[in-house]
Amino acid sequence: MAKLYKPGRFIGGNGIWGNSVSLVDGDLVSKVGGFIVKTWVWVDVLGVAAGEQSFASNNETVAKARVQFVELDGYSELEMTITGGTITQADEGKYFDITAGGLVDGATESATTGQLKMERFISATKGIFTIANK
């Protein structure tokens, strides 16, 4: 889960959510197959959920409930928790991927590729990140 630290240039968006999934405020979201879903590894980050909702098993085809989110860009900053490893001040500027649980995967540290870029070190398990796939 992400905490919006500094918004970028965009305000908001909405789209039809996938089937049988719950969403909490701060979950990272993506668009896959025309539907808004929770972000996972290798999927471009679209935004961060604005609010908490649960969606029916037929949401994509029948209910078509929409989810509200804050659209992110390369200027948006997110305070995020690291799992699967720790970070140091020396990791600023490096890239990381996101776990299925929406946290930063500390084991995916890379000098060149990833979904997120660490902009600022806070602690061994927390940092400020920007979206790298925009």
Side-chain angles (χ1 to χ4, degrees):
M1 177 169 32
K3 176 181 175 186
L4 188 59
Y5 186 77
K6 179 182 104 178
R9 298 173 292 175
F10 301 105
I11 300 301
N14 69 68
I16 297 174
W17 190 255
N19 293 335
S20 302
V21 181
S22 292
L23 177 72
V24 297
D25 195 46
D27 279 347
L28 294 174
V29 298
S30 300
K31 190 169 193 173
V32 176
F35 300 101
I36 308 299
V37 297
K38 283 186 185 180
T39 300
W40 64 84
V41 68
W42 304 310
V43 178
D44 286 352
V45 178
L46 177 62
V48 60
E52 188 171 322
Q53 293 176 267
S54 293
F55 299 88
S57 61
N58 64 354
N59 195 61
E60 293 175 8
T61 56
V62 179
K64 298 188 180 186
R66 300 182 81 75
V67 63
Q68 302 294 317
F69 58 89
V70 176
E71 191 171 344
L72 301 175
D73 61 16
Y75 300 101
S76 304
E77 293 183 350
L78 303 166
E79 180 181 313
M80 296 192 68
T81 300
I82 289 82
T83 187
T86 59
I87 57 172
T88 67
Q89 187 82 35
D91 293 324
E92 287 184 356
K94 292 186 180 169
Y95 297 86
F96 296 83
D97 285 324
I98 300 166
T99 67
L103 302 175
V104 177
D105 186 347
T108 62
E109 178 183 313
S110 169
T112 57
T113 61
Q115 292 166 292
L116 304 170
K117 180 180 179 185
M118 189 173 106
E119 300 294 340
R120 198 163 352 141
F121 172 81
I122 295 176
S123 73
T125 58
K126 193 168 281 201
I128 302 295
F129 293 83
T130 55
I131 305 303
N133 57 261
K134 293 284 184 184

